[in-house]
């Protein structure tokens, strides 16, 4: 598939620019610190003792300081939502970069792990050199207490050594628990280990307090390599040594050494305070429990939850984070809003699929009687519900649907939830939006899944027909599982039946059709579904098959 430069720049240019700047900052900081310890006069004697291990350990430490400060910023969800929702970030390209916050967080995390390995390896070499190259000439420069001291004893009896071991253990737990297989199979492990970041930062600040590495403070009065009284340089003749002393290379005083001032706290204190302030704000905002108005059981193990919260305001495409203490006091799970509070109704709604331990236990508390599973149409059951806390709302890429004249929304299964709220907003009134044409493609394995939002889709269809804009919404429904296939037979759902197709969408033909009918326009492509669909759409958005039409790819991702 040929690549379009214009489309590639629109979709990949911004994030690759940020990537280059980030890599450049890491490289510049690494090289600057490396050269300072390699060539700096104040580190001459320390470098003489430790060699390249000193330069590499300090250079990697500088990179770690940078990334330990940056890794927190993408997790300030409320701040990112504020930036997206105000005029602070006017450019659509800049707002789309905010959607890559999770990717940047992961990149910083990987950099921390990689340079931690480099840092630890270099310091292991340094510990051996401290023992083997014990300096009789400059005792204050030593970390070892005597020549030949066991390096393991040095590690286990110094503050940097003990805290370093703890940091490695915590980082190992956080990194392994962040793998995709663990997050999918057991999200609780990922959640609890990731919250060890608080302990990690406390130990990180203490780690540099030990002052193991020292620099020379009086290199002007004691130039590196100078000759002290009654000392001759074995590499020089007596005549050359006398000339050196006469030229001013004699030591006027003994070398004095001082531990490096801790710098880590300067790097991490700002982002850490910002993140803690944001978490405090979110805790205060979500302190009052919401009122559960209704619970609806839908086909295919999907539960609809209608809630009421005072002074809650949200925009279509945003998501919230739920906490149910009866299930777990510390676990928080994100869910896209499928209904936002409006002037006509104050309730907010979500749809959640019962997959995993948390959703299963949560559903049992909401609906202890599973008697409605065989029903196709929703059934409301009233009862006394558990306490539920809502944090949010938070911004996502789906908010940009209305900022294009033409948008293509592609949903896979329960991935339809970000677009349900968009459809609700269009039902309330579509004329005041910039959006003038919406292509909506929904792919499901089972026919019954379409009943989740069947009434919403039909209501929007009838509204657009009455207002003489039937071409505003191009609706395509695909069911991929053909075993025992039935059609949507209800009369009130006839608009859906006529748009239902068997199999999978032919994406290339769809993009060619959109490209022909919307030449010289920017089309927003929004996807929430399996990775296979996402990769296919991403590739098509970057191809050059559609002359004059630029497809801008946006993928839904919770952080």
């Amino acid at each position: 598939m040929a690549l379009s430069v214009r489309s590639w720049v629109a979709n990949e240019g911004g994030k690759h620019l940020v990537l280059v700047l980030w890599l450049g900052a890491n490289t510049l900081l690494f090289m600057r610190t490396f050269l300072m310890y390699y060539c700096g006069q104040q580190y001459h004697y320390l470098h003489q003792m430790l060699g390249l291990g000193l330069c590499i350990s300090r250079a990697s430490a500088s990179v770690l300081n940078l990334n330990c400060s940056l890794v927190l910023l993408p997790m300030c969800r409320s701040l990112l939502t504020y930036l997206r929702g105000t005029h602070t970030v006017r450019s659509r390209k800049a707002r789309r970069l905010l959607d890559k916050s999770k990717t940047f967080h992961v990149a910083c995390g990987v950099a921390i792990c990689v340079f931690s390995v480099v840092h630890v390896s270099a310091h292991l070499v340094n510990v051996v050199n401290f023992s083997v190259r014990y300096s009789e000439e400059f005792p204050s420069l030593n970390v070892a207490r005597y020549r030949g001291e066991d390096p393991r004893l040095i590690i286990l009896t110094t503050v940097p050594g003990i805290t370093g071991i703890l940091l490695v253990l915590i980082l190992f737990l956080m990194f392994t628990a962040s793998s995709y297989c663990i997050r999918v199979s057991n999200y609780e492990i990922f959640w609890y280990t990731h919250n060890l970041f608080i302990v990690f930062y406390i130990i990180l600040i203490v780690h540099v307090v030990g002052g193991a590495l020292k620099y020379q403070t009086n290199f002007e009065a004691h130039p590196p390599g100078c000759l002290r009284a009654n000392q001759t340089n074995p590499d020089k003749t007596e005549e050359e040594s006398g000339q050196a002393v006469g030229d001013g290379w004699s030591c006027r005083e003994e070398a004095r050494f001082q531990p490096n001032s801790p710098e880590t706290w300067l790097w991490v204190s700002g982002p850490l305070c910002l993140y803690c302030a944001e978490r405090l704000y979110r805790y205060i905002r979500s302190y009052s429990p919401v009122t559960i108005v209704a619970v609806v059981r839908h086909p295919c193990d999907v539960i609809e939850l209608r809630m009421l919260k005072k002074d809650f305001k949200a925009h279509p495409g945003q998501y919230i984070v739920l906490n149910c203490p009866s299930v777990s006091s510390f676990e928080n799970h994100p869910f896209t809003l499928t209904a936002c509070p409006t002037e006509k109704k104050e309730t907010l709604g979500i749809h959640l699929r019962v997959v995993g331990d948390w959703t299963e236990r949560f559903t049992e508390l909401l609906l202890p009687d599973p008697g409605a599973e065989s029903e196709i149409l929703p059934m409301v059951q009233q009862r006394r519900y558990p306490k539920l806390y809502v944090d949010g709302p938070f911004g996502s890429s789906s908010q940009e649907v209305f900022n294009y004249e033409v948008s293509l929304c592609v949903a896979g299964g329960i991935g339809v939830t970000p677009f349900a709220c968009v459809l609700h907003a269009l039902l309330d009134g579509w004329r005041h939006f910039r959006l003038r044409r919406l292509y909506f493609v929904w792919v499901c394995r089972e026919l019954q899944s379409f009943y989740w939002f069947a009434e919403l889709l039909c209501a929007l269809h009838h509204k657009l027909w009455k207002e003489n804009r039937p071409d505003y919404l191009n609706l395509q429904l695909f069911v991929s599982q053909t075993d025992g296939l039935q059609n949507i037979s209800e009369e009130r759902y006839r608009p859906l039946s006529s748009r239902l197709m068997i199999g999978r969408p032919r994406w290339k033909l769809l993009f060619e059709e959109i490209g022909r009918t919307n030449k010289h326009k920017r089309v927003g492509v929004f996807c929430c579904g399996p990775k296979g669909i996402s990769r296919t759409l991403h590739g098509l958005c970057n191809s050059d098959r559609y002359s004059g039409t630029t497809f801008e790819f946006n993928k839904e991702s919770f952080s």
Side-chain angles (χ1 to χ4, degrees):
M1 185 183 297
L3 190 69
S4 168
V5 175
R6 181 182 177 184
S7 297
W8 187 91
V9 170
N11 289 308
E12 319 296 336
K15 67 180 182 182
H16 279 82
L17 177 61
V18 172
L19 178 63
V20 168
L21 293 175
W22 174 69
L23 289 174
N26 281 280
T27 304
L28 182 65
L29 193 58
F30 186 93
M31 294 305 300
R32 175 180 172 273
T33 308
F34 183 94
L35 292 174
M36 182 178 70
Y37 279 86
Y38 187 83
C39 304
Q41 286 186 317
Q42 66 270 40
Y43 299 107
H44 173 80
Y45 291 114
L46 188 62
H47 177 252
Q48 204 173 45
M49 178 188 292
L50 302 180
L52 286 178
L54 169 68
C55 307
I56 295 175
S57 64
R58 297 315 303 155
S60 57
S62 297
V63 176
L64 286 171
N65 285 337
L66 173 64
N67 286 280
C68 283
S69 62
L70 293 178
V71 74
L72 290 171
L73 298 179
M75 294 295 101
C76 296
R77 301 180 185 179
S78 298
L79 177 62
L80 297 181
T81 302
Y82 171 77
L83 292 176
R84 181 193 295 274
T86 63
H87 296 292
T88 307
V89 181
R90 295 176 180 271
S91 170
R92 186 168 62 201
K93 292 181 180 180
R95 290 197 302 270
R96 290 175 67 215
L97 281 178
L98 297 178
D99 300 326
K100 305 298 180 183
S101 59
K102 181 181 176 182
T103 304
F104 186 67
H105 172 77
V106 173
C108 291
V110 172
I112 289 172
C113 293
V114 171
F115 281 96
S116 292
V117 172
V118 176
H119 183 71
V120 170
S121 301
H123 267 316
L124 290 176
V125 175
N126 291 339
V127 170
V128 173
N129 285 332
F130 270 127
S131 175
V132 175
R133 300 179 182 178
Y134 182 86
S135 176
E136 304 285 353
E137 188 176 0
F138 305 111
S140 60
L141 201 59
N142 296 305
V143 172
R145 287 173 284 273
Y146 52 87
R147 184 183 296 276
E149 184 179 6
D150 189 345
R152 291 172 293 184
L153 190 62
I154 298 175
I155 294 173
L156 295 175
T157 55
T158 57
V159 173
I162 296 172
T163 54
I165 293 173
L166 294 175
L167 288 172
V168 169
L169 289 175
I170 294 173
L171 195 61
F172 176 78
L173 290 174
M174 293 176 68
F175 180 75
T176 53
S178 300
S179 62
Y180 177 77
C181 57
I182 291 181
R183 282 188 288 116
V184 171
S185 61
N186 201 323
Y187 183 83
E188 292 84 353
I189 294 178
F190 163 75
W191 174 254
Y192 288 123
T193 54
H194 236 58
N195 277 288
L196 288 173
F197 82 93
I198 302 172
V199 182
F200 178 85
Y201 276 97
I202 293 174
I203 298 176
L204 181 64
I205 294 173
V206 176
H207 177 64
V208 296
V209 173
L213 303 180
K214 301 180 180 69
Y215 68 96
Q216 185 182 344
T217 59
N218 62 336
F219 55 86
E220 292 182 358
H222 184 108
C226 67
L227 298 177
R228 293 179 294 173
N230 301 324
Q231 180 187 14
T232 60
N233 192 329
D235 296 332
K236 294 184 179 182
T237 64
E238 183 177 349
E239 182 180 350
E240 290 173 334
S241 298
Q243 184 179 357
V245 171
D247 290 341
W249 283 96
S250 60
C251 305
R252 294 197 297 272
E253 59 184 52
E254 292 291 331
R256 295 195 299 270
F257 299 95
Q258 179 177 312
N260 280 323
S261 300
E263 294 182 356
T264 301
W265 70 274
L266 293 173
W267 286 90
V268 303
S269 58
L272 189 60
C273 290
L274 178 64
Y275 181 78
C276 291
E278 202 231 30
R279 289 297 294 262
L280 178 62
Y281 165 72
R282 287 170 53 186
Y283 174 78
I284 296 172
R285 182 176 62 177
S286 61
Y287 181 75
S288 300
V290 298
T291 302
I292 299 177
V293 177
V295 180
V296 181
R297 186 185 294 276
H298 288 283
C300 306
D301 290 329
V302 170
I303 302 296
E304 179 183 358
L305 195 61
R306 290 281 179 165
M307 297 165 285
L308 188 64
K309 184 177 181 180
K310 186 179 179 181
D311 298 327
F312 183 86
K313 297 179 181 179
H315 301 287
Q318 292 185 327
Y319 69 95
I320 59 174
V321 176
L322 293 187
N323 175 273
C324 183
S326 300
V327 178
S328 175
S329 299
F330 301 102
E331 285 187 50
N332 300 274
H333 292 263
F335 294 96
T336 309
L337 288 168
T338 53
C340 292
T342 61
E343 294 179 357
K344 298 178 181 179
K345 56 180 180 180
E346 297 180 349
T347 58
L348 60 137
I350 63 168
H351 285 63
L352 61 94
R353 189 155 201 169
V354 185
V355 179
D357 296 338
W358 191 90
T359 51
E360 287 178 359
R361 296 196 298 268
F362 184 50
T363 304
E364 290 173 359
L365 292 173
L366 294 174
L367 296 171
D369 179 19
E373 287 184 350
S374 61
E375 297 288 335
I376 293 180
L377 297 181
M379 186 180 77
V380 179
Q381 302 183 12
Q382 298 290 340
R383 63 183 300 273
R384 186 175 180 180
Y385 300 113
K387 277 188 177 182
L388 189 63
Y389 297 91
V390 169
D391 184 18
F394 302 106
S396 74
S397 62
S398 299
Q399 288 182 251
E400 296 294 319
V401 171
F402 301 111
N403 294 327
Y404 294 88
E405 287 188 18
V406 182
S407 291
L408 167 63
C409 296
V410 178
I414 196 62
V416 72
T417 53
F419 311 123
C421 208
V422 171
L423 298 176
H424 272 294
L426 295 177
L427 184 62
D428 291 337
W430 56 272
R431 295 184 184 276
H432 62 280
F433 293 118
R434 182 185 177 187
L435 184 66
R436 286 296 169 260
R437 188 169 178 84
L438 175 64
Y439 294 85
F440 182 70
V441 182
W442 188 8
V443 185
C444 293
R445 291 182 181 178
E446 300 171 325
L447 180 68
Q448 290 182 330
S449 299
F450 295 114
Y451 285 97
W452 301 338
F453 298 103
E455 293 184 2
L456 172 62
L457 290 170
C458 290
L460 181 58
H461 170 80
H462 292 312
K463 176 184 176 66
L464 293 173
W465 267 92
K466 288 180 180 179
E467 298 182 2
N468 198 26
R469 278 302 310 270
D471 61 334
Y472 188 94
L473 176 65
N474 186 312
L475 177 62
Q476 300 181 28
L477 307 178
F478 292 86
V479 57
S480 59
Q481 186 174 322
T482 59
D483 298 338
L485 185 63
Q486 297 178 357
N487 201 352
I488 301 178
S489 56
E490 290 84 353
E491 179 65 24
R492 56 177 173 164
Y493 298 144
R494 178 168 290 185
L496 303 187
S497 180
S498 61
R499 287 161 176 79
L500 181 64
M501 288 166 274
I502 301 171
R504 300 182 183 277
R506 302 176 68 178
W507 299 114
K508 290 183 180 179
L509 294 180
L510 175 62
F511 271 67
E512 288 174 358
E513 176 194 344
I514 298 174
R516 282 194 305 268
T517 55
N518 300 280
K519 288 185 178 180
H520 309 295
K521 291 184 179 180
R522 289 185 177 268
V523 179
V525 179
F526 299 85
C527 176
C528 186
K531 286 186 177 180
I533 295 179
S534 177
R535 280 194 294 265
T536 301
L537 296 179
H538 197 173
L540 288 170
C541 287
N542 288 338
S543 66
D544 66 348
R545 298 168 59 93
Y546 328 104
S547 57
T549 304
T550 302
F551 291 90
E552 296 186 352
F553 183 73
N554 303 267
K555 184 178 182 299
E556 187 71 23
S557 178
F558 297 126
S559 55

